[in-house]
């Protein structure tokens, strides 16, 4: 079976394809699926219009059984470019919610693009959402399934905290709160993390964010940290939380996407609201937990191999 992944092509790794999408493609490859990638370069709606012609030209030269698009606008490109290929659309979160800059507030442009993504939902042979909350936005659509992104556990392995910190040149006596995103992404809410840490009034606690780091360093960062904190305003199914679970790191996160389902039954992991008081109290509890959680065992069902097989079942169903 030949599958073409269509996604944004603006990342700094894997020819512009984000690690989340690329890793899912690799998990399918390991199951015998031939996967190619088409990355849409540039920003703004004009880039997507231009990509339709580029994709059409590719599809004239090579045949695929399935075009699997990730994010709503990429699905629209695939729909207007495809020939006889079957279409699978993965909605990721912000593409149907909008891009939240603060609680309950997203920009008009992102709301419009989310609306555009949603009205095309019936154009695809099958849709995938990352959580039940997302699926609930698509009432009366029967060709749809909830399949969160999986985690390749081979990428996440335990390293002694002291060893990881020496590798990253970090203070062995500090307590590090991992913020698993770039500080500049407002939707991830670094401001609340900063205020929660300040409210602890403990100079030994510092924030360590994923600013400018490659995916290869994520395992090292999580092993070096004491707590992972992600109080996002909106998410689909955040891989950052699953990756922290894979390393059994205590977590503090907001109740968005499928976060409660992911961490709700794991001791040492806490749901916080968007108040400084609650966020700092939950952070204090997570820091005091002081040991590994059962996170890795609790998300065993999200092993990337198991998720890949579910996706392949969809391909076979529509073909």
């Amino acid at each position: 079976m030949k599958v073409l992944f269509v996604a944004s092509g603006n990342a700094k790794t894997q020819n512009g394809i984000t690690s989340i999408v690329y890793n899912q493609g690799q998990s399918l490859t390991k199951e015998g699926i031939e996967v190619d990638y088409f990355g849409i370069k540039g920003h703004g709606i004009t880039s997507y219009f231009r990509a339709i012609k580029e994709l059409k030209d590719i599809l004239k030269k090579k045949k695929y059984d399935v075009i699997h698009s990730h994010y709503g606008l990429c699905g629209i490109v695939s729909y207007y470019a495809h020939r006889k290929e079957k279409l699978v659309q993965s909605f990721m979160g912000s593409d149907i919610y909008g891009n939240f800059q603060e609680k309950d507030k997203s920009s008009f442009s992102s709301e419009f693009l989310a609306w555009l993504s949603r009205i095309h939902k019936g154009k695809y042979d099958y849709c995938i959402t990352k959580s039940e909350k997302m699926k609930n936005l698509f009432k009366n659509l029967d060709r749809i399934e909830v399949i969160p992104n999986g985690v390749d556990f081979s990428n996440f392995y335990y390293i002694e905290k002291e060893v990881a910190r020496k590798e990253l040149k970090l203070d062995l006596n500090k307590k590090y709160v991992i913020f698993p995103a770039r500080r500049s992404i407002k939707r991830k809410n670094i401001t609340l993390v900063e205020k929660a840490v300040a409210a602890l009034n403990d100079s030994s606690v510092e924030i360590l964010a994923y600013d400018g780091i490659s995916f290869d360093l994520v395992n090292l960062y999580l092993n070096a940290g004491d707590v992972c904190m992600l109080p996002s305003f909106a998410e689909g199914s955040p891989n950052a939380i699953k990756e922290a679970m894979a390393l059994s790191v205590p977590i503090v996160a907001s109740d968005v996407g499928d976060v409660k389902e992911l961490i709700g039954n794991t001791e040492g992991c806490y749901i916080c609201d968007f108040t400084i008081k609650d966020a700092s109290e939950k952070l204090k509890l997570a820091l005091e937990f002081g040991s590994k959680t059962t996170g890795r065992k609790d998300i065993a069902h999200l092993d990337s191999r198991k998720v890949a097989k579910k996706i392949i079942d969809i391909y076979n169903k529509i073909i």
Side-chain angles (χ1 to χ4, degrees), residues 91-94 97 130-131 134 187 234-238 256-259:
F91 292 104
M92 308 296 275
S94 60
Y97 288 137
K130 302 303 174 182
S131 68
M134 294 173 66
R187 174 169 56 87
E235 293 283 354
S237 177
V256 291
D258 63 352
V259 170

Side-chain angles (χ1 to χ4, degrees), residues 252-268:
V252 177
S254 52
D255 181 14
V256 291
D258 63 352
V259 170
K260 185 174 284 186
E261 288 83 358
L262 289 170
I263 73 172
N265 295 318
T266 303
E267 190 178 356

Side-chain angles (χ1 to χ4, degrees), residues 100-102 183-190 233:
F100 284 73
Q101 302 297 307
E102 54 187 275
R183 291 172 180 265
S184 59
I185 304 177
K186 292 184 179 180
R187 174 169 56 87
K188 304 292 185 178
N189 201 8
I190 182 66
F233 295 125

Side-chain angles (χ1 to χ4, degrees), residues 155-173:
N155 289 328
F156 297 94
Y157 48 90
Y158 298 124
I159 302 172
E160 288 293 332
K161 185 176 293 186
E162 183 177 331
V163 173
R165 289 189 176 188
K166 284 182 177 178
E167 183 76 17
L168 293 171
K169 296 180 172 56
L170 298 175
D171 192 326
L172 299 180
N173 298 311

Side-chain angles (χ1 to χ4, degrees), residues 28-79:
L28 293 172
T29 299
K30 291 175 183 177
E31 297 299 322
I33 305 298
E34 183 180 326
V35 180
D36 289 340
Y37 302 86
F38 174 73
I40 298 172
K41 304 288 186 182
H43 300 278
I45 199 72
T46 55
S47 299
Y48 289 87
F49 278 121
R50 185 170 60 248
I52 294 173
K53 181 182 182 307
E54 294 172 357
L55 182 53
K56 279 185 175 181
D57 291 340
I58 288 172
L59 297 177
K60 288 176 184 177
K61 298 173 184 176
K62 187 169 182 178
K63 292 184 178 181
Y64 293 95
D65 300 294
V66 176
I67 300 175
H68 186 165
S69 306
H70 302 260
Y71 294 98
L73 289 183
C74 297
I76 295 172
V77 169
S78 298
Y79 173 72

Side-chain angles (χ1 to χ4, degrees), residues 90-267:
S90 283
F91 292 104
M92 308 296 275
S94 60
D95 49 352
I96 57 173
Y97 288 137
N99 190 7
F100 284 73
Q101 302 297 307
E102 54 187 275
K103 186 177 183 293
D104 299 325
K105 185 177 180 181
S106 57
S107 65
F108 173 78
S109 60
S110 74
E111 288 278 0
F112 171 74
L113 294 177
W115 170 80
L116 199 61
S117 296
R118 292 195 300 269
I119 65 170
H120 279 80
K121 64 184 183 295
K123 305 290 187 184
Y124 311 113
D125 295 289
Y126 218 93
C127 292
I128 296 171
T129 64
K130 302 303 174 182
S131 68
E132 287 290 341
K133 289 179 183 177
M134 294 173 66
K135 183 183 177 183
N136 289 339
L137 295 177
F138 296 133
K139 293 185 180 0
N140 303 318
L141 188 66
D142 54 3
R143 303 183 311 279
I144 187 168
E145 192 169 336
V146 177
I147 305 180
N149 292 322
V151 177
D152 185 344
F153 285 92
S154 67
N155 289 328
F156 297 94
Y157 48 90
Y158 298 124
I159 302 172
E160 288 293 332
K161 185 176 293 186
E162 183 177 331
V163 173
R165 289 189 176 188
K166 284 182 177 178
E167 183 76 17
L168 293 171
K169 296 180 172 56
L170 298 175
D171 192 326
L172 299 180
N173 298 311
K174 293 280 189 181
K175 296 175 185 175
Y176 287 100
V177 178
I178 302 296
F179 179 67
R182 297 192 306 276
R183 291 172 180 265
S184 59
I185 304 177
K186 292 184 179 180
R187 174 169 56 87
K188 304 292 185 178
N189 201 8
I190 182 66
T191 301
L192 183 57
V193 180
E194 292 170 339
K195 290 179 178 179
V197 169
L200 295 176
N201 197 27
D202 183 346
S203 61
S204 71
V205 181
E206 291 189 6
I207 299 169
L208 189 62
Y210 287 0
D211 285 321
I213 72 165
S214 67
F215 178 74
D216 294 339
L217 284 175
V218 170
N219 186 68
L220 205 57
Y221 269 58
L222 287 171
N223 275 290
D226 295 282
V227 173
C228 178
M229 188 169 186
L230 187 68
S232 296
F233 295 125
E235 293 283 354
S237 177
N239 263 47
I241 294 297
K242 286 172 269 190
E243 290 161 1
M245 289 285 280
L247 286 170
S248 302
V249 177
I251 295 168
V252 177
S254 52
D255 181 14
V256 291
D258 63 352
V259 170
K260 185 174 284 186
E261 288 83 358
L262 289 170
I263 73 172
N265 295 318
T266 303
E267 190 178 356

